[in-house]
Amino acid sequence: MTFIKTISTFLITLLCVTTTFGQQSKPKTKILLIGTIHFETPHLDTYELKTDDFLAPKRQKELEELTEVLKRTNADKVMIEKPLTQQAKIDSLYNAYSQNKYTLTVSEREQIGFRLAKKLNLKQINCVDIFYGMKHDSLVSVTAKEKNQVYILNELGTTANNFMGEIDRVTKQNSITGILKYINTKELLQKNLSLYLKYYAKIGAGENYIGAESVSDWYLRNLAVYSNIITQIKPTDQYVILLFGQGHIPILKHLLQNNDDFEVVELNTVLK
C-alpha cells in the first residue's frame, strides 16, 4: 500500500508540474519576413538590379496599397535593414515623418518601412542590421586562380546575372505587391542562397577552404542580425514585421523557424 501511495503521490506531483509548465508557456510571437529588392542604386551588392522609379505616381499608389494590406496585421514592431548604430538617426527621421515634416527618400526601408509604421501608429522603427565585411572575398578569386577553379566563379557570375535579370523582368512587369510575392517564394529564396552554397563553398575545398570561410562571413552577418532581432522583441509582442533584402531571408527564416519563441508567417498568406 505504501508503494502504491508513493507512486500516486509522484504522479500527482508530475501532473501539477506539467500543468504549471503548460500555464507558463506563452504564445509564440508571429514574425512576417518580407524579402525586398533595393529601390535605390547604386548599392553595395556585387549583383544588383537596375531599378525603376519608385517615386513615380504609379509606384507610390502601389506602395499605399501594399502598406494598407500589411497594416491589417496590427504588427507591434516593424524592423528594417538599417544598422543598429543608426537607431538614433532613424528615430529622428521617423519622428519627423510622423509629424509630416520629412519627405521619404527612395529607399524601401522608408517607402515601405516608415510608411507602414506610421499607418500602424508605432512610435519607433527598429534597426536590426549590422555589417560584417566579407573579409575573405578578396581571397576567393586569388585562390580560384591558384587552384584552377576560375570556371566556378564564371558559372557563379552567369547564374547570378541570370537571376538578377529574372527579377528585373518581374519588377518591370508587376506591381510592388506582385514583385514581393514572387521573390519571396521558396524557389526564389533557394536560388539566392544557392549562389553561396553551390559555388563559393567549392573554392579552395580540401586545402585552405577560403570559399567556405567566405560563406561563413555571410552567415555571421545574418546570425548577428538574427541576434539583434530576437533581443528587440518583447514577450508581449504578438506580431513583428521584418523588412530586409531578399538575399538575407533564407538564413533568417531558418534561424527563426528553429527558435520556438517564434512562428514564421508566410508572406503569401498575407498578400493574396
Side-chain angles (χ1 to χ4, degrees):
M1 291 295 292
T2 303
F3 175 74
I4 295 174
K5 184 178 180 180
T6 301
I7 292 295
S8 299
T9 303
F10 172 76
L11 291 174
I12 291 171
T13 303
L14 180 62
L15 179 61
C16 289
V17 171
T18 304
T19 303
T20 302
F21 179 80
Q23 290 173 344
Q24 289 178 340
S25 62
K26 72 175 185 66
K28 296 184 178 184
T29 299
K30 293 184 177 181
I31 182 162
L32 174 63
L33 307 183
I34 305 179
T36 68
I37 58 173
H38 292 302
F39 288 3
E40 77 278 26
T41 53
H43 205 260
L44 297 177
D45 298 331
T46 304
Y47 302 98
E48 64 181 8
L49 297 175
K50 297 178 180 179
T51 55
D52 60 7
D53 183 8
F54 288 97
L55 297 179
K58 175 177 178 291
R59 290 303 198 191
Q60 288 294 298
K61 181 174 181 291
E62 292 171 357
L63 284 162
E64 279 296 312
E65 292 170 348
L66 168 68
T67 49
E68 280 297 322
V69 173
L70 294 175
K71 176 186 173 183
R72 298 172 193 165
T73 63
N74 294 314
D76 301 289
K77 281 186 171 67
V78 171
M79 298 182 161
I80 61 172
E81 189 178 348
K82 275 291 186 180
L84 186 62
T85 54
Q86 293 185 19
Q87 186 65 63
K89 177 182 178 181
I90 295 301
D91 286 346
S92 177
L93 293 177
Y94 177 65
N95 183 58
Y97 172 68
S98 298
Q99 299 177 47
N100 300 316
K101 297 178 180 178
Y102 174 72
T103 301
L104 299 179
T105 67
V106 72
S107 170
E108 76 285 350
R109 302 160 182 87
E110 296 186 12
Q111 289 294 327
I112 300 177
F114 279 34
R115 193 186 303 253
L116 174 59
K118 185 178 179 180
K119 289 177 185 289
L120 289 166
N121 295 314
L122 300 181
K123 295 181 179 179
Q124 183 184 55
I125 285 184
N126 295 77
C127 300
V128 293
D129 195 15
I130 179 169
F131 185 74
Y132 277 88
M134 299 288 285
K135 61 183 180 180
H136 293 96
D137 260 14
S138 60
L139 298 175
V140 169
S141 58
V142 173
T143 299
K145 291 176 182 178
E146 291 176 351
K147 309 302 179 186
N148 295 317
Q149 293 180 312
V150 174
Y151 70 94
I152 296 175
L153 296 185
N154 291 338
E155 289 176 6
L156 167 62
T158 300
T159 303
N161 284 323
N162 289 340
F163 181 61
M164 290 297 102
E166 178 182 355
I167 297 180
D168 193 47
R169 287 191 295 274
V170 170
T171 299
K172 288 179 171 63
Q173 297 169 4
N174 289 271
S175 67
I176 293 175
T177 294
I179 296 165
L180 295 181
K181 287 173 66 176
Y182 182 77
I183 67 174
N184 283 277
T185 59
K186 182 179 179 180
E187 178 186 8
L188 265 290
L189 292 174
Q190 287 180 336
K191 273 189 178 182
N192 199 316
L193 184 56
S194 74
L195 296 177
Y196 293 90
L197 301 183
K198 184 176 180 179
Y199 300 104
Y200 259 64
K202 291 180 180 178
I203 305 299
E207 295 185 33
N208 59 17
Y209 296 95
I210 289 298
E213 291 185 5
S214 182
V215 174
S216 75
D217 291 339
W218 179 238
Y219 268 79
L220 175 59
R221 179 180 173 191
N222 284 286
L223 278 163
V225 170
Y226 164 76
S227 298
N228 286 338
I229 292 169
I230 64 175
T231 53
Q232 292 191 51
I233 295 177
K234 299 177 181 178
T236 53
D237 292 330
Q238 298 180 14
Y239 204 111
V240 173
I241 293 177
L242 175 73
L243 189 73
F244 233 81
Q246 192 254 14
H248 297 268
I249 299 300
I251 300 174
L252 294 175
K253 186 175 184 179
H254 168 75
L255 297 171
L256 288 160
Q257 283 177 330
N258 287 281
N259 182 331
D260 60 12
D261 284 341
F262 302 100
E263 176 188 338
V264 174
V265 179
E266 294 294 336
L267 185 60
N268 62 10
T269 65
V270 178
L271 302 181
K272 298 179 180 179

